[in-house]
Amino acid sequence: MSGIAGWIDHTRDLRRERPTLLAMTAALAQRGPDAEQLWSTRSAGLGVRHSRPSGGQGYVQQPWVFEEAGATVLASFFTGTLYDREELAATLGVRWRASDAELVGRAFLRWGEKFAEQLDGPFAAALWSERDQELVLARDRLGNQPLYYYPLGSGVLFGSERKAILAHPAVDPEIDADGLRELFSYAGTAGHGILRGFKQVRPGHVLRIRREGETAYKYWELTAEEHTDDQATTIATVRELLGDSVRRTLGTGDVPGIMLSGGIDSSAVTALAHQALAERGGGTVRTFTVSFGGAEDFKEDEIWGSPDAPFVRSVVDHLGTDHTDLVLETGDIIDPAVRAAVLRAKDVPSPLGNMNTSLYLLCQAVREHVGSVLLGEIADAVFGGFAWVHNKQLVEAPMLPWVAMGQFGGGKHGLGGDLLAPDLLGKLDLNGYAGDAYTSSMAQVPRLDGETGQTLRMREITYFHLTRWLETLLSHDESLGSAVGLETRMPFCDHRLVNYAYNVPWSMKSFDGREKSLLRAAVADLLPDDVVNRAKSPYPVTQDPAYGRALCDGMAALLADPGAPAAALADTAGVRALIDDPSVLDSGMRAWVARANVEMLLGLNDWLQRYGVRVVL
């Protein structure tokens, strides 16, 4: 894995700016602790940090520089994984061991801005054309790999993470009202960088930046197509597409691990990986699971219906995987050092709380065994597995469904904004911002002429999932894995599978009345019946009341600290009410919403304090 960063400036000689370029790439050291390269010309300075490859994919020679008649034409930098590298190398007529950076550079020289259409896999690329004095930035179709940029009056800065850009002396860490709206609404606006002046390359786009300005080329988007396959053919096609994606994400080198929860998503990936390894001559699947101390006292509620452990054991026994359990105690997930590491990894506060800390610790443990890991992420978005999809009231609500879910659980302002001061909430109007996001997305939904009723509504909901929700979800997993040097791969992110499933009518996706009926049917022969029939249960969270009490202690400390930067932004009365009744943070829907509010306020305070972020209203 790797991280890229760079600086374009048309008014100064960047060959003399090595210390600044080193600082920018050093900010990405966790993504590439093994090696660093810088490359510069007068107007462009680019750098990369990378790790040694764990197997036969992703050779690390960077940058690739193309010269003609003794003059530099193009420099190519790349982060991510190309699953079609052998086919691409053959098409381009180069040796199959060519670096990913070379393949991307040669693809650009041949196809211009359409080069990204030839790439398969999660990637972000930066190419500098010395001949045209142009920076080209590109991001994969669904946005697995992040890529931020920051326009300057005389050029632009870019990086795999915001922290690389923040390492430049011209950039002040600031957040304005628009950034706070995006942060606390969880709207998932494509291209939004949250910090003032920051932008993000949109998924499925190639961005071309010259002195005169920037232009964007959209090379991929969801499309509406008539679905003509019958039920049996649809099930078989999903199996074929997902199986092919798992084989590609496994690669040809060292076998990645798999994060296994015992749900249908990760269990399907595990079973298909097991099958693929058997087909190519052997290899044992390594699986990893996180759970919490006291899980034997699990209590079913309206979100979490069953503990993971029995279903994980069922898959492990059925497939014979090499399995590792990570059991976390409450002290592990409230450890200030771990919470600080998570904030450092994500660059911005998050409402996900102990989902963040537990996943970070799991990634850390997995990295001791393997360099990459497969996840079952986004299957809920593709096949309709979220709880709100199966609640008529939430489906029909004229708002983003996860915002509606928060309101169903007692939330009032976005997702995580209820503890902000009333005057600040009035200025931000989080619900108005989220409403505008909903209206904007509704106008963009690809649909077929004549679609009406449930078929149309579920297409709209799925579009929200595959665009705005993924903008928040994919960065969550990728950033936490990258922080410990673990590459995350997501077979459900295959664009062929995603677009095929997008066009399957809802009646086929839920043909037996359960969530993700189509996915269950596609892998039913590979898994134990109890796993195939298990009802959806989200990523585990602790039910230990001590966690809620620890959050309350954090809020009390915030109110008691005269130097706490978020204190002036908080609803003191609302915070004190939660401190007085921490039981609301224990479990269930209301606890999920209440925790999100607390986590966002505490995270905001730590962010402002640790990283010197200034609020500009």
Side-chain angles (χ1 to χ4, degrees):
M1 57 179 293
S2 57
I4 55 178
W7 177 14
I8 308 302
D9 196 310
H10 299 286
T11 64
R12 61 201 306 165
D13 189 347
L14 296 186
R15 294 170 295 187
R16 300 177 180 177
E17 302 291 346
R18 185 176 177 85
T20 298
L21 292 168
L22 282 171
M24 293 176 70
T25 54
L28 302 173
Q30 77 285 355
R31 287 179 169 267
D34 298 325
E36 176 183 60
Q37 276 89 35
L38 295 181
W39 179 89
S40 61
T41 63
R42 183 177 184 84
S43 300
L46 295 87
V48 60
R49 294 290 303 234
H50 53 70
S51 304
R52 296 184 184 93
S54 60
Q57 286 184 300
Y59 297 97
V60 300
Q61 302 96 323
Q62 294 201 51
W64 177 75
V65 180
F66 178 71
E67 296 183 346
E68 194 171 64
T72 298
V73 175
L74 184 79
S76 172
F77 288 76
F78 176 89
T79 180
T81 304
L82 293 180
Y83 298 145
D84 63 337
R85 62 182 336 277
E86 291 189 24
E87 302 99 304
L88 185 58
T91 300
L92 293 168
V94 299
R95 66 195 192 286
W96 73 272
R97 289 183 66 88
S99 69
D100 289 344
E102 178 179 351
L103 293 175
V104 169
R106 291 191 181 278
F108 178 74
L109 290 172
R110 175 175 291 193
W111 293 296
E113 66 183 9
K114 295 184 178 181
F115 78 101
E117 299 171 18
Q118 310 298 320
L119 310 183
D120 181 21
F123 70 86
L127 304 98
W128 171 252
S129 171
E130 180 69 7
R131 180 169 52 198
D132 298 327
Q133 293 289 288
E134 176 184 57
L135 176 68
V136 178
L137 301 176
R139 195 168 170 217
D140 64 77
R141 292 167 178 82
L142 292 173
N144 285 262
Q145 285 289 317
L147 187 57
Y148 297 90
Y149 67 105
Y150 184 95
L152 298 167
S154 55
V156 65
L157 306 170
F158 72 88
S160 293
E161 298 181 18
R162 297 177 187 88
K163 60 177 64 71
I165 297 171
L166 288 169
H168 192 284
V171 181
D172 293 321
E174 297 177 335
I175 187 168
D176 57 17
D178 186 65
L180 288 172
R181 292 182 186 107
E182 182 66 23
L183 187 64
F184 280 91
S185 68
Y186 227 57
T189 303
H192 205 297
I194 294 180
L195 285 170
R196 191 180 193 185
F198 282 66
K199 299 182 180 181
Q200 192 169 185
V201 179
R202 297 184 178 212
H205 280 69
V206 173
L207 192 67
R208 308 184 74 158
I209 304 174
R210 297 193 181 196
R211 177 178 288 204
E212 308 85 62
E214 65 183 60
T215 59
Y217 169 65
K218 183 190 295 184
Y219 71 89
W220 187 85
E221 63 181 336
L222 288 167
T223 57
E225 301 167 9
E226 185 178 0
H227 187 78
T228 58
D229 293 344
D230 61 18
Q231 189 78 55
T233 303
T234 300
I235 292 169
T237 302
V238 167
R239 169 68 166 268
E240 179 184 356
L241 290 170
L242 181 58
D244 181 65
S245 182
V246 169
R247 285 189 291 274
R248 285 174 172 261
T249 52
L250 279 174
T252 58
D254 295 344
V255 177
I258 300 176
M259 289 189 182
L260 176 64
S261 69
I264 191 65
D265 311 342
S266 61
S267 298
V269 171
T270 303
L272 288 167
H274 175 78
Q275 183 181 66
L277 290 176
E279 290 172 354
R280 77 183 197 191
T284 302
V285 173
R286 301 198 66 166
T287 51
F288 302 86
T289 296
V290 65
S291 59
F292 299 97
E296 64 275 6
D297 299 322
F298 177 88
K299 297 176 182 177
E300 179 179 345
D301 59 37
E302 65 268 46
I303 299 181
W304 288 272
S306 58
D308 289 345
F311 301 95
V312 168
R313 178 47 52 188
S314 185
V315 174
V316 169
D317 291 345
H318 184 74
L319 298 176
T321 72
D322 180 1
H323 186 68
T324 301
D325 275 308
L326 176 65
V327 180
L328 299 176
E329 302 298 335
T330 300
D332 298 321
I333 57 178
I334 62 174
D335 183 340
V338 175
R339 291 175 67 89
V342 167
L343 181 59
R344 170 75 178 169
K346 296 177 77 72
D347 280 338
V348 295
S350 164
L352 299 182
N354 70 262
M355 292 184 183
N356 286 325
T357 49
S358 62
L359 180 57
Y360 174 84
L361 291 169
L362 177 58
C363 288
Q364 198 172 56
V366 171
R367 185 63 185 91
E368 295 177 5
H369 301 277
V370 295
S372 58
V373 66
L374 273 58
L375 286 76
E377 287 287 28
I378 93 155
D380 286 325
V382 175
F383 293 102
F386 296 113
W388 54 70
V389 172
H390 303 276
N391 181 310
K392 189 173 186 292
Q393 177 183 345
L394 299 181
V395 166
E396 293 179 351
M399 62 184 70
L400 297 173
W402 50 96
V403 175
M405 181 83 159
Q407 293 189 4
F408 187 71
K412 298 176 181 178
H413 304 281
L415 187 60
D418 288 359
L419 293 179
L420 294 177
D423 59 336
L424 178 58
L425 286 172
K427 182 176 294 187
L428 297 181
D429 185 16
L430 296 178
N431 290 335
Y433 183 84
D436 289 344
Y438 172 83
T439 301
S440 174
S441 284
M442 281 288 286
Q444 298 167 15
V445 176
R447 63 196 82 195
L448 296 176
D449 292 340
E451 278 187 324
T452 59
Q454 185 187 50
T455 298
L456 175 58
R457 185 54 179 164
M458 296 315 297
R459 183 188 285 279
E460 292 166 350
I461 296 290
T462 301
Y463 182 77
F464 301 153
H465 293 160
L466 294 174
T467 53
R468 290 184 176 273
W469 183 254
L470 290 198
E471 277 293 292
T472 65
L473 177 65
L474 293 179
S475 61
H476 166 68
D477 297 300
E478 198 277 340
S479 62
L480 295 176
S482 295
V484 297
L486 182 68
E487 179 190 354
T488 53
R489 302 180 184 177
M490 306 182 193
F492 284 102
C493 281
D494 182 273
H495 63 281
R496 292 164 290 261
L497 172 64
V498 168
N499 205 74
Y500 181 81
Y502 177 68
N503 288 292
V504 174
W506 183 249
S507 58
M508 278 192 178
K509 284 183 182 174
S510 57
F511 66 88
D512 64 1
R514 297 181 297 174
E515 83 279 351
K516 293 183 286 192
S517 305
L518 183 55
L519 177 60
R520 294 175 192 276
V523 296
D525 62 314
L526 300 177
L527 293 167
D529 288 344
D530 60 334
V531 175
V532 173
N533 294 317
R534 183 191 183 189
K536 166 71 180 176
S537 193
Y539 184 88
V541 298
T542 181
Q543 294 184 329
D544 185 355
Y547 184 76
R549 292 195 295 271
L551 292 179
C552 289
D553 290 344
M555 290 192 295
L558 185 153
L559 293 184
D561 181 4
L569 307 175
D571 175 10
T572 304
V575 170
R576 293 196 185 281
L578 267 179
I579 294 173
D580 292 341
D581 183 18
S583 64
V584 74
L585 299 168
D586 289 350
S587 65
M589 174 69 73
R590 296 187 68 84
W592 177 74
V593 173
R595 284 186 181 186
N597 291 322
V598 175
E599 295 286 4
M600 282 300 290
L601 183 61
L602 294 179
L604 179 67
N605 190 67
D606 287 346
W607 190 49
L608 300 178
Q609 200 162 43
R610 290 178 183 273
Y611 302 111
V613 178
R614 190 166 67 97
V615 178
V616 181
L617 296 174

